[in-house]
Amino acid sequence: MLKHVFALSVVVALSACGGGSGDSTPPTPPVSNLPDLLLTAENYQEVTPVAFAFQEALLQLSHYSYGRIQNLSETDRNQDIICSNGGIRSVDWTGSISRPGQATAGTVITETFRDCLVAEFNEVLNGSAVISVKAESTAANIQLQLNFNGLEISSAPAIVVVDPFELSITESADLYSIKPALINNKLRFNFKGEGIYSLSNTVLNHQLNTKTALYTSSFQTDLTIDDFKSGLKIATSKGFSGYVGEYPHEGAISVTDVKNNKLEVKANYVENSYLANVSFTGASNPGSTHWSSLIEGALWSWPGLSSYYLSEFRADNFAFSGFYHPEKLSNLNVNDTVTLQFSRELAPSQNLNLYLLGNWSTADIPLEYQIKGSQLILFIPEGMKYDQEYRLSYFTITSAKGYTIDVANWDMFKGNNAVKALITASTKVFTKDQYPQLSAANSQSKTGLNLTYSWSEVTNTGLIFSAPDNKETSFYYTGSVPVQKPLIKLTVTDSQGNSASELLQLSPYTQGLNTLYFTSDQGDYIGQGQTVLHQTEGSVVNYLSMFEQWNTIRASIEYSENDQNYNWSLSFSAANGAPLTTGHYTGASRHPFQPFNTPGLDFTGNGRGCNTSRGEFTIHEIAYSGDENSPQLDVLAMDLVQYCEGGPTKIKASIRINSNVLLTF
C-alpha cells in the first residue's frame, strides 16, 4: 500500500534545496520561509506513481473494509486466526450479524493484527482497525465510518492513516459503486520518519458495471506535505476504464504543482496497452511505464473478488476473473449464492450442466444457476454433506460476442460448519402402523446459539409430521402406505441465520413379503453407503445349501431392478457344530474360516467381499426341512451386523422369508 509514494521524497529533496522549474528569473522576496513542492523535468518520471498512489490506497482500504463486514462468524470471534505468513489476527464486534455473516446497521467491528500479512494491502499489519456500520446503512447501500489510526501498515516506510473517513458502497441492478468521503475535508497519512501527507477536496468515484464487466474510476485531490508552502493537485481529466482483471485502456490523470508544471499519464488502447504513456510540461520525449509499476491492482478489481486473471486489453479478450468472497466457499449454507466474475458479458442463455463433484463415497449434486451480465451466480442446493468437500465441475461458457472458454478450477466448496444437521431415525423403513421416530437431537451449533428445527417432505407422498417444528417427531399417513419412497428433510437454523439441512430417504415395505433389506455406512466396502430394500412375493433365495444338519446355511439372492443385476450372498453358522436356532450370536468372524468354537458370518455382494470380518447376528425365527441333498428353508427372520477388515464402518442387513417379524432398523 502506497509503496510508490517514496518517489515524492525526490520531489521533497529537490524542492527543499531550491530546485524548481528551471526559470532563471531572479526570485521575488519570499512571503514564507517554507518552499514550494514543485515538479521538474528531471524528476517527473520518478514521481509518476504518485498520480495513482492515494487513489489506490483509498480503494485498498475500501476493499478491506467491505470484505470484513461481509465475512463475520461467531466461530471465529475473539479467536486467534493464523495469517498466511504465520502472523495472527482476531476480530470482535458489538451489534449483530445477519446471514450469511454480514454486519448489520449499528455494528462496530474491531480487528486486531500482529505481524499479519493482509491480501488487500499486500502488506504486514500491526495494531487495530475499527469499522463502524452506520445506522442508515442497508444491504444495497452500505455506509461505513473507518478508523485506521491504531493500525500500522508495514510498508517502506511504515504508514498510519491518521484520520477517520466515511465510505459508501452501493449496489444497483447493474452498477456497483465505491465513494469515500473525507470528514472535515481532511485525510492525513503519517509516513513514519518522512512526514505527514494530507489529502483535501478529495473525490473518488469507482464503479463496476456488472453487465459489461467494465470498471470506471475518476479521482481528484489536493495533496500537501508538512513543511511545504504549496502542494500538488491530482485529477483525472478523463476517468480510467477497463475490464475486470485488465489494465485500463482509456483515461488520463495529471499531477500539477503551484507553477502549473504538469505531469500527465494516459492509457493506451490496444497497442502497448500494458504500458501507460507519461508526459511532462516542456519535456520533448514522453516516456512510458508498465502499469504494474504504477498500480498494485485495486483499480481493476472489486471488493471481495479474488482474481486469477490479469491481462493487457484486447477487444476479443474473454476470461474467468475469479470468485467473489472465496473464503465463503468453505462456509456455505443452503440457498447461499456463489458469484463467478468474467471479464466480459456472458451469452444470456446457456446450458452449462453444472455440478458440485463429491468424492468416491459422496454423490455429485446438480447446481441451479443464473447468468447476470458478466456474472455467473450459483445457488447452493440441498444435499451437501456436512464437513465434506466438493469441487465445481468443469464447464464451457460463451461470451455475448460468441467467444468460448473452458473453466476448470480446484477451489473447494464446503458446507457451513457453524451448524450441523443430523437425523437419527429409529428405522429407515416403515409399514402401516409402524412409523419411525425421527430426532434432531444430535444436530450441533458450534456458535452456542439456540437452534430451531423444521421437518418437511421433499417428495409428495402425503406424509404428515406429528410435530414439524420440534426436535423430535414422527409421521403418519391418513390413507394407505404409498409405494413411492418419501424423502424427508431436516433444517436446523441458529439465531444468526446459519443453517444446515440433512436429507433422509425412507422406504415403505409390505409386512409378510420375502425381503432383503440392508443399510451401510459411508466407507463400507460391501454396501458402498447404500440402503437397499428388495421384496418379492416369490422366493427371495435363488440358491440354498445346508451343511452338518443345519449348522451352516448358504444362500444367494439375485434380482434385477432398473436394468441393473444384483447378486448378494449370505453364509452363517453356529459355534461348535450346533444346529442354527433362534437366538443372538456374537463374536462371529468370516465364514468358513472362523474358529470352531465361534459363529461364522459372511455377507458379500456384486463381486465385493471381506478378507477378514467380524460381526454378530440374531435369528428371530427359523424353520427348515429336507436334507443336504434337498434343503428347504421354510421360515427365516434374521438381522446381522458386519464389519470388514477390522474397520469402524458396518453393514446391517435383514432377511425375511415367510415371516411377519417387522424390520427394526
Side-chain angles (χ1 to χ4, degrees), residues 420-486:
K420 179 180 181 180
L422 280 176
I423 301 175
T424 303
S426 59
T427 175
K428 293 183 180 180
V429 292
F430 64 93
T431 189
K432 184 69 173 174
D433 299 325
Q434 185 226 352
Y435 297 110
Q437 292 294 312
L438 305 174
S439 174
N442 290 331
S443 299
Q444 300 172 7
S445 170
K446 291 189 177 181
T447 62
L449 301 172
N450 291 332
L451 295 175
T452 59
Y453 307 91
S454 175
W455 298 90
S456 59
E457 184 189 4
V458 178
T459 47
N460 187 25
T461 66
L463 179 151
I464 301 172
F465 290 97
S466 58
D469 297 324
N470 286 5
K471 185 186 298 185
E472 316 279 346
T473 189
S474 185
F475 64 87
Y476 59 92
Y477 290 90
T478 56
S480 60
V481 172
V483 175
Q484 181 186 2
K485 296 179 180 180

Side-chain angles (χ1 to χ4, degrees), residues 168 224 632:
S168 171
T224 59
Q632 180 65 44

Side-chain angles (χ1 to χ4, degrees), residues 441-576:
N442 290 331
S443 299
Q444 300 172 7
S445 170
K446 291 189 177 181
T447 62
L449 301 172
N450 291 332
L451 295 175
T452 59
Y453 307 91
S454 175
W455 298 90
S456 59
E457 184 189 4
V458 178
T459 47
N460 187 25
T461 66
L463 179 151
I464 301 172
F465 290 97
S466 58
D469 297 324
N470 286 5
K471 185 186 298 185
E472 316 279 346
T473 189
S474 185
F475 64 87
Y476 59 92
Y477 290 90
T478 56
S480 60
V481 172
V483 175
Q484 181 186 2
K485 296 179 180 180
L487 181 64
I488 65 171
K489 179 176 74 172
L490 166 67
T491 300
V492 294
T493 307
D494 69 14
S495 58
Q496 290 181 346
N498 295 308
S499 68
S501 297
E502 185 173 53
L503 301 174
L504 178 65
Q505 183 89 65
L506 298 175
S507 298
Y509 77 97
T510 302
Q511 187 178 8
L513 287 183
N514 295 328
T515 301
L516 168 66
Y517 166 61
F518 70 76
T519 66
S520 56
D521 295 339
Q522 292 291 339
D524 174 69
Y525 179 60
I526 305 301
Q528 302 281 292
Q530 300 176 79
T531 295
V532 168
L533 175 65
H534 172 63
Q535 290 196 291
T536 178
E537 293 182 353
S539 174
V540 75
V541 175
N542 299 86
Y543 168 79
L544 176 70
S545 62
M546 174 272 289
F547 298 91
E548 300 178 7
Q549 298 301 312
W550 296 99
N551 165 256
T552 299
I553 294 176
R554 291 179 178 173
S556 176
I557 301 169
E558 300 175 4
Y559 60 92
S560 296
E561 283 184 357
N562 300 321
D563 298 324
Q564 293 286 327
N565 296 322
Y566 299 92
N567 187 323
W568 305 97
S569 297
L570 171 65
S571 300
F572 57 105
S573 63
N576 301 312

Side-chain angles (χ1 to χ4, degrees), residues 24-35:
S24 61
T25 304
T28 58
V31 295
S32 169
N33 291 327
L34 297 178

Side-chain angles (χ1 to χ4, degrees), residues 587-607:
S589 57
R590 183 188 171 194
H591 182 274
F593 306 105
Q594 79 278 8
F596 180 73
N597 62 347
T598 62
L601 175 66
D602 190 30
F603 185 68
T604 64
N606 294 331

